[in-house]
C-alpha cells in the first residue's frame, strides 16, 4: 500500500522527514532503525516489529514486501524476522515464563499460548520431549477470548504465582490455582501477538523470528529448527 501526503523537509543526516512522518502515522511509537534499502532513495524503517519503506524526505511510504525479481528473493522477510525476534525476546525478558533445558539449550523458541486452548495443552504435555531435544521453551500469553476472559485471569494467576512454572503446568492440566494478581505484561503480550501476525494458538516463534503456526510435536519441531 503506497501512502502519500506528507510534504516535509528532510535532513539526510538525521532522517527528520521520515521521523516526523512516523510520529504522524504511529504516534507514540519509537523508530528503532532507519537504513538504506536495496532501492535507491528508499529507506527501511523498523518500528517495533513493523517494517515500512519511506522516501528520504518522508513524503512517500510503502507498507508491503520488497522483492528482488532477478534473484527471486523476498528482501523484506529477513528484516521483518530480525525485528520480530528482537521484540519477542524483549517481551520474554520482561514477563515470560521459561522452561529450561538441563544443559545449555541447542535451540530456543517462544510460544504464544492460551491456557484453555486444546493444542496449547497438548504442546505443554510434550514439554519433556522438547526439553530432552535441547529446545528451551518460553511462553507469552495470547488469551484468544480477550483481556476480560477467564483465560486472561488464569494467565495472570500463573505469572503472579510464587512458582509460575508449576502454576502454569497445573492450569494446563485442568487444575485450579489460587487467584492472584500483580503487575504483569499479559495485555502487552496479547497486543504484541496481534502486531507480529499471530492468528491462533499455539504460535511458535524461533530465535530467528520465524513463525511456525500451530502445534508441532517435539520431533517435528526439532527437524524444523534444524533446517
Amino acid at each position: 500500500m503506497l501512502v502519500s501526503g506528507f510534504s516535509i523537509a528532510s535532513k539526510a543526516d538525521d532522517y527528520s522527514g521520515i521521523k516526523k512522518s512516523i510520529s504522524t502515522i504511529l504516534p507514540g511509537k519509537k523508530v528503532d532503525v532507519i537504513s538504506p534499502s536495496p532501492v535507491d532513495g528508499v529507506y527501511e524503517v523498523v518500528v517495533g516489529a513493523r517494517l515500512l519503506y519511506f522516501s528520504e524526505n518522508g513524503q512517500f511510504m510503502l507498507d508491503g514486501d520488497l522483492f528482488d525479481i532477478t534473484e527471486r528473493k523476498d528482501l523484506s522477510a529477513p528484516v521483518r524476522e530480525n525485528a520480530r525476534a528482537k521484540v519477542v525476546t524483549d517481551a520474554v525478558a520482561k514477563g515470560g515464563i521459561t522452561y529450561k533445558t538441563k544443559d545449555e539449550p541447542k535451540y530456543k523458541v517462544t510460544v504464544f499460548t492460551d491456557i484453555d486452548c486444546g493444542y496449547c495443552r497438548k504442546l505443554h504435555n510434550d514439554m519433556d520431549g522438547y526439553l530432552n531435544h535441547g529446545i528451551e521453551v518460553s511462553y507469552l500469553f495470547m488469551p484468544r477470548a480477550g483481556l476480560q476472559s477467564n483465560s486472561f485471569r488464569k494467565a495472570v494467576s500463573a505469572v503472579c504465582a510464587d512458582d509460575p512454572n508449576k502454576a502454569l503446568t497445573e492450569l494446563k492440566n485442568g487444575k485450579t490455582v489460587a487467584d492472584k494478581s500483580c503487575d504483569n505484561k499479559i495485555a502487552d503480550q496479547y497486543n504484541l501477538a496481534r502486531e507480529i501476525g499471530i492468528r491462533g494458538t499455539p504460535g511458535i516463534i524461533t530465535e530467528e523470528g520465524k513463525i511456525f503456526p500451530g502445534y508441532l510435536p517435539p520431533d517435528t519441531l526439532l527437524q524444523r529448527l534444524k533446517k
Side-chain angles (χ1 to χ4, degrees):
M1 177 177 65
L2 185 64
V3 178
S4 169
F6 298 97
S7 297
I8 299 169
S10 176
K11 297 179 182 178
D13 58 345
D14 64 4
Y15 306 111
S16 60
I18 293 174
K19 291 177 181 177
K20 189 167 184 179
S21 290
I22 288 292
S23 69
T24 302
I25 298 166
L26 300 171
K29 295 291 187 178
K30 173 180 172 292
V31 177
D32 294 292
V33 180
I34 300 176
S35 58
S37 81
V39 180
D40 289 343
V42 176
Y43 291 80
E44 294 176 347
V45 181
V46 176
V47 182
R50 191 168 181 182
L51 171 63
L52 301 167
Y53 295 95
F54 276 87
S55 60
E56 184 177 307
N57 66 356
Q59 182 178 359
F60 298 99
M61 181 191 83
L62 179 66
D63 185 359
D65 296 323
L66 183 64
F67 290 88
D68 185 323
I69 302 300
T70 303
E71 298 292 331
R72 299 191 178 188
K73 290 172 59 177
D74 181 347
L75 301 180
S76 299
V79 180
R80 190 172 286 114
E81 288 168 359
N82 286 339
R84 185 185 297 133
K86 181 180 183 303
V87 296
V88 168
T89 298
D90 288 348
V92 168
K94 291 175 182 177
I97 295 178
T98 299
Y99 290 78
K100 294 183 176 294
T101 55
K102 182 178 178 181
D103 300 315
E104 188 70 20
K106 298 175 183 176
Y107 304 98
K108 295 181 182 181
V109 299
T110 300
V111 180
F112 281 90
T113 192
D114 179 327
I115 287 174
D116 295 314
C117 147
Y119 277 105
C120 297
R121 291 186 171 187
K122 185 173 178 62
L123 185 151
H124 193 78
N125 287 336
D126 285 341
M127 185 60 68
D128 286 345
Y130 300 115
L131 299 180
N132 289 338
H133 281 322
I135 304 170
E136 180 178 288
V137 179
S138 295
Y139 280 121
L140 298 175
F141 290 93
M142 183 188 174
R144 296 172 302 170
L147 300 181
Q148 305 302 320
S149 64
N150 284 333
S151 295
F152 174 81
R153 178 184 55 77
K154 291 176 185 178
V156 171
S157 293
V159 301
C160 296
D162 294 335
D163 186 340
N165 294 63
K166 180 181 178 182
L168 182 56
T169 294
E170 290 180 348
L171 287 164
K172 291 281 191 180
N173 288 326
K175 298 179 181 178
T176 59
V177 301
D179 281 338
K180 289 199 172 182
S181 105
C182 62
D183 185 29
N184 65 81
K185 301 294 184 181
I186 296 174
D188 293 340
Q189 295 169 15
Y190 175 84
N191 292 327
L192 175 62
R194 295 160 65 89
E195 179 185 344
I196 66 176
I198 301 295
R199 299 291 177 256
T201 53
I204 302 170
I205 312 293
T206 70
E207 284 184 275
E208 297 76 26
K210 297 183 184 299
I211 296 177
F212 296 158
Y215 163 75
L216 294 174
D219 289 346
T220 303
L221 179 57
L222 180 63
Q223 294 307 312
R224 294 282 295 273
L225 293 170
K226 285 181 176 179
K227 291 182 179 179

